[in-house]
């Protein structure tokens, strides 16, 4: 009977140790984790060994084990639980946390082998996919989309490869705007996620303060680390971006500014492109919005860009 219960708990492990919904507070999450830890190290190890184990991602398992290790009275008995963490699938942040906390004396052979697997990962591989060979291990699919000092090789490029068409037309993304200059296909917001070498199609808004263009991710969320903008084929001082903010939102209603550019000259010219770092802490969201907050280099409020690309982490649920 206990094996059946272990299997059930393993299958729902990610639901037990992670936040179930936005309304759940941290106290409730902490209480649930504490109750789970009270099962004892032996039971927890049986759960982690079970073939039905389902994780939100590898970081969530790592953080859960760290929570156990905070209890000094069971530290020595539970340190070996790190053997069940696949270090090659951890985020950079979790690796940094591991390095800052743990001494060499705590690393056994199994943990070291897992760390070695991480060391073998090519840092600039095209899409670093944090997935185990066992596809059933995760409840989500988490992919790092790195910036490689190129253009046209970010999130939208990845999605175009995935669906073999414009991600907006395929329904993966909905691109909207505050206004559109005309009904012509040449000026539509979805043009900004087309290949960057297309100068005939771009986005052109009407002329009003605070014009914006918004990207809604339908079946996935994204955590932004960099973004890249390419200008349209217009002369210098001819309507190019000068003042703007980039905003993120989970629901499309409440927005957080994560980057602000004032009097930026990097995009003042034809076919220029520049990449901007996100220096503030961000989270996985469903909406990213570019909003013009003052006049462009042409001295008006038209929002005009050829294209945009996003770099960071892609997160989608995996059907059970």
């Amino acid at each position: 009977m206990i094996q059946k219960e272990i299997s059930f708990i393993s299958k729902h492990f990610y639901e037990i140790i992670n936040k179930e919904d936005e309304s759940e507070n941290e106290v409730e999450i902490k209480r649930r984790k504490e109750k789970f830890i009270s099962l004892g190290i032996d039971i927890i190890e049986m759960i982690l060994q079970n073939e039905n184990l389902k994780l939100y991602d590898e970081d969530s398992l790592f953080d859960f084990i760290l929570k156990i290790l905070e209890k000094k009275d069971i530290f020595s008995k539970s340190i070996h639980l790190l053997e069940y963490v696949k270090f090659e699938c951890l985020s950079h942040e979790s690796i940094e946390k591991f390095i800052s906390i743990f001494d060499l004396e705590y690393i056994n052979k199994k943990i070291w082998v897992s760390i070695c697997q991480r060391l073998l990962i090519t840092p600039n591989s095209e899409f670093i996919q944090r997935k185990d060979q066992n596809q059933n291990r995760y409840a989500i699919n988490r992919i790092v989309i790195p910036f490689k000092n190129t253009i046209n090789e970010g999130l939208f490029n990845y999605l175009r490869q995935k669906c073999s068409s414009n991600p907006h037309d395929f329904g993966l993304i909905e691109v909207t705007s505050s206004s559109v200059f005309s009904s012509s296909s040449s000026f539509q917001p979805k043009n900004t996620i087309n290949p960057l070498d297309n100068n005939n199609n771009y986005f052109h808004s009407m002329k009003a303060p605070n014009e914006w263009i918004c990207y809604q991710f339908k079946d996935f969320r994204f955590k932004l680390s960099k973004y890249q903008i390419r200008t349209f084929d217009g002369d210098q001082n001819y309507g190019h971006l000068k003042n703007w903010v980039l905003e993120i939102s989970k629901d499309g209603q409440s927005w957080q500014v994560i980057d602000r550019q004032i009097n930026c000259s990097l995009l003042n010219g034809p076919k220029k492109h520049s990449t901007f770092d996100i220096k503030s802490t961000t989270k996985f969201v469903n909406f990213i919005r570019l909003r013009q907050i003052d006049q462009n280099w042409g001295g008006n409020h038209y929002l005009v860009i050829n294209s945009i690309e996003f770099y960071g982490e892609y997160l989608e649920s995996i059907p059970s």
Side-chain angles (χ1 to χ4, degrees):
M1 178 61 71
I2 189 172
Q3 195 57 44
K4 185 176 180 180
E5 293 170 343
I6 291 293
S7 182
F8 178 84
I9 295 173
S10 296
K11 190 174 182 179
H12 296 275
F13 185 77
Y14 72 99
E15 297 173 326
I16 297 171
I17 67 169
N18 289 289
K19 191 172 183 178
E20 293 181 346
D21 56 59
E22 294 300 321
S23 64
E24 188 175 26
N25 61 47
E26 296 300 324
V27 175
E28 292 170 336
I29 300 169
K30 183 177 180 180
R31 186 182 299 117
R32 190 169 66 242
K33 286 184 178 180
E34 290 291 343
K35 186 176 181 180
F36 190 79
I37 292 172
S38 69
L39 292 174
I41 300 303
D42 291 341
I43 296 296
I44 291 174
E45 186 166 10
M46 291 174 66
I47 292 169
L48 299 184
Q49 289 174 336
N50 191 275
E51 62 181 8
N52 293 313
L53 179 67
K54 197 85 161 179
L55 304 175
Y56 182 73
D57 59 9
E58 208 67 32
D59 285 1
S60 64
L61 174 59
F62 178 70
D63 288 339
F64 174 71
I65 294 175
L66 288 189
K67 188 68 178 176
I68 297 175
L69 295 177
E70 289 177 1
K71 299 181 179 299
K72 301 301 182 182
D73 57 324
I74 60 172
F75 181 90
S76 60
K77 296 179 181 179
S78 55
I79 187 69
H80 72 283
L81 292 178
L82 286 169
E83 296 175 7
Y84 300 101
V85 174
K86 295 185 179 297
F87 282 79
E88 68 270 26
C89 298
L90 286 179
S91 68
H92 180 76
E93 291 78 11
S94 289
I95 291 294
E96 285 186 335
K97 191 183 298 183
F98 175 79
I99 292 172
S100 67
I101 293 175
F102 291 95
D103 293 327
L104 185 60
E105 62 181 289
Y106 302 134
I107 301 177
N108 61 28
K109 184 176 180 180
K110 288 185 178 180
I111 295 173
W112 174 243
V113 168
S114 184
I115 292 173
C116 288
Q117 291 298 313
R118 170 71 184 209
L119 294 174
L120 291 173
I121 294 176
T122 304
N124 292 318
S125 57
E126 184 170 1
F127 298 114
I128 303 172
Q129 195 161 351
R130 295 186 189 138
K131 294 172 62 179
D132 182 51
Q133 293 299 318
N134 177 7
Q135 298 294 313
N136 292 324
R137 183 173 175 85
Y138 302 111
I140 62 164
N141 186 17
R142 185 172 182 171
I143 301 172
V144 175
I145 300 180
F147 176 62
K148 301 186 295 182
N149 291 313
T150 60
I151 60 173
N152 193 28
E153 292 191 272
L155 171 65
F156 301 131
N157 178 57
Y158 168 74
L159 294 176
R160 280 195 302 272
Q161 293 178 7
K162 186 175 182 178
C163 66
S164 300
S165 69
N166 186 306
H168 173 92
D169 296 335
F170 199 77
L172 297 178
I173 295 175
E174 183 176 6
V175 189
T176 56
S177 61
S178 51
S179 66
V180 182
F181 184 71
S182 79
S183 59
S184 169
S185 61
S186 298
F187 303 131
Q188 299 306 306
K190 73 173 186 176
N191 294 337
T192 59
I193 59 175
N194 275 332
L196 301 184
D197 59 355
N198 188 341
N199 293 306
N200 296 319
N201 296 314
Y202 51 93
F203 170 64
H204 196 311
S205 76
M206 297 293 283
K207 186 171 58 175
N210 286 302
E211 295 283 4
W212 52 261
I213 182 168
C214 180
Y215 304 85
Q216 179 183 0
F217 312 129
K218 291 296 188 176
D219 297 317
F220 67 93
R221 289 176 290 155
F222 197 74
K223 183 178 180 181
L224 194 67
S225 60
K226 295 177 185 286
Y227 68 101
Q228 184 180 69
I229 297 175
R230 186 175 189 250
T231 66
F232 70 108
D233 192 14
D235 293 337
Q236 188 175 17
N237 297 324
Y238 193 73
H240 297 294
L241 265 177
K242 181 180 182 181
N243 304 284
W244 72 90
V245 292
L246 199 73
E247 303 168 303
I248 58 174
S249 174
K250 287 187 175 181
D251 57 9
Q253 300 296 319
S254 178
W255 295 90
Q256 174 191 350
V257 174
I258 57 172
D259 189 49
R260 183 182 299 270
Q261 299 292 330
I262 305 295
N263 295 326
C264 178
S265 61
L266 296 174
L267 299 174
N268 186 17
K271 303 180 184 178
K272 282 182 172 289
H273 69 272
S274 190
T275 306
F276 303 89
D277 291 327
I278 303 301
K279 298 175 182 177
S280 60
T281 302
T282 61
K283 51 197 172 187
F284 286 100
V285 295
N286 293 93
F287 297 84
I288 299 178
R289 183 171 72 181
L290 173 70
R291 180 166 57 89
Q292 188 166 251
I293 56 174
D294 206 339
Q295 292 182 340
N296 58 37
W297 282 102
N300 57 64
H301 291 284
Y302 288 122
L303 173 56
V304 191
I305 61 172
N306 175 275
S307 54
I308 194 167
E309 260 293 12
F310 298 144
Y311 304 89
E313 293 185 65
Y314 169 97
L315 200 69
E316 69 176 351
S317 297
I318 298 175
S320 56

